[in-house]
Amino acid sequence: MIEEIIPSPEVEEALVTGRPVVALESTIITHGMPWPKNVETARAVETVIREEGAVPATIAVIDGILRIGLSSADLEDLAQASGVMKLSRADLAFAIAQRRTGSTTVAATMMAAHAAGISVFATGGIGGVHRGAETSFDISADLDELGRTPVCVVAAGPKALLDIPKTLEVLETRGVPVIAYGTDELPAFWSRGSGLVAPYRLDTAQEIARLISTRARFAGHGGILVANPVPEEAEIPSGEMNRHIEAALTQASANGIRGKDVTPYVLSKILELTDGRSLETNIALVVNNARLAARIAVAAWAASIEG
Ligand code: PSU
Ligand code: MN
């Protein structure tokens, strides 16, 4: 491990003894949700993972150190800080080399988790192919990372502000198995359904753990995307959601929002347009994903000790 990567004592002990660990990203904290819901959610997610018998490892770069597992005080500081960089694959080494502070996206969290020896990771929704990508070329680095880095990412599907059919196409091209959990339909983040049939369906954490270990036998294999639908009581149906998404995207383009600012801008506009309901849905789905990720990590650990 390079000296700039430092696990917390709890995560280090779990990794050394081979106990189940779940990685968590931090862009959702700094760029995805407003204070104080962001820190409350980050704590709720860590609690759920512990309840399931795994150790949470929230990942971020703090003053140039890639930290695997944050203390409660670090989490709170990060959640309130301003000017935190949003670190994807292109930015991670830059932030470390320049001794900066930044939160990690799905792509950078996968890189960090893999470097630390963690193979299961929970987030809200992955980035993907943006609507209009045929002219903007805006395709999230999350997709390439899923194609190359062997980490199982548990999300509520691609964020529905994206072009979901194109996102699925790119995932297929990159060789990423997409597994809907307990459903035939690909979930769409705030909504349980996207109208698209998911490539695969699995119904138990044990089967997902077996897929991870089977895939690990092939050299150069990349990640796995598990798409876990938002709990029914928290979902916003896609018909209603699409109106808000269209309105938010129109505002984003009218205001010239580009590149890595698009996703945070659109998420915050949707929060306004739904009177905060989208945030409650986002919180519910992240907690739900953390629970499933922990169950997968525990199932993988149980299978490994059975030999
Ligand atoms: N999930 C959420 N909220 C978020 C994100 C995920 O519920 O804000 C973040 C993740 O870090 C993901 C990023 O990698 O959004 C995608 O950003 P972009 O579209 O710029 O690649
Ligand atoms: Mn982008």
Side-chain angles (χ1 to χ4, degrees), residues 236-259:
I236 305 177
S238 55
E240 182 185 347
M241 215 43 233
N242 277 329
R243 289 201 317 273
H244 301 310
I245 292 169
E246 297 281 343
L249 288 172
T250 303
Q251 291 190 40
S253 75
N255 287 303
I257 309 296
R258 289 217 170 70

Side-chain angles (χ1 to χ4, degrees), residues 211-227:
L211 175 64
I212 295 172
S213 65
T214 305
R215 198 158 151 79
R217 294 197 210 151
F218 297 95
H221 64 99
I224 294 171
L225 177 61
V226 174

Side-chain angles (χ1 to χ4, degrees), residues 25-33 86-88 103-109 121-130 138-143 155-157 159 161-162 189-190 258-264 267 281-283 285-286 289:
E25 59 142 313
S26 45
T27 294
I28 187 169
I29 301 172
T30 56
H31 294 71
M33 292 184 186
K86 173 181 168 184
L87 309 177
S88 188
S103 58
T104 50
T105 64
V106 168
T109 306
F121 159 27
T123 181
I126 61 158
V129 181
H130 283 260
D138 189 352
I139 301 177
S140 177
D142 292 355
L143 300 184
K159 285 197 264 304
L161 53 104
L162 302 165
F189 198 67
W190 299 282
R258 289 217 170 70
K260 58 206 310 183
D261 297 333
V262 172
T263 298
L267 289 177
T281 302
N282 200 344
I283 293 169
L285 65 85
V286 176
N289 295 342

Side-chain angles (χ1 to χ4, degrees), residues 177-227:
V178 177
I179 314 298
Y181 181 69
T183 172
D184 295 317
E185 198 177 346
L186 184 74
F189 198 67
W190 299 282
S191 315
R192 290 174 62 83
S194 62
L196 297 167
V197 175
Y200 293 113
R201 167 186 179 149
L202 290 175
D203 292 313
T204 65
Q206 286 71 22
E207 288 169 290
I208 297 169
R210 193 158 76 223
L211 175 64
I212 295 172
S213 65
T214 305
R215 198 158 151 79
R217 294 197 210 151
F218 297 95
H221 64 99
I224 294 171
L225 177 61
V226 174

Side-chain angles (χ1 to χ4, degrees), residues 149-193:
T149 301
V151 170
C152 174
V153 179
V154 181
K159 285 197 264 304
L161 53 104
L162 302 165
D163 185 321
I164 298 181
K166 288 196 182 76
T167 300
L168 267 187
E169 290 294 344
V170 172
L171 286 166
E172 188 189 0
T173 304
R174 300 281 185 269
V176 180
V178 177
I179 314 298
Y181 181 69
T183 172
D184 295 317
E185 198 177 346
L186 184 74
F189 198 67
W190 299 282
S191 315
R192 290 174 62 83

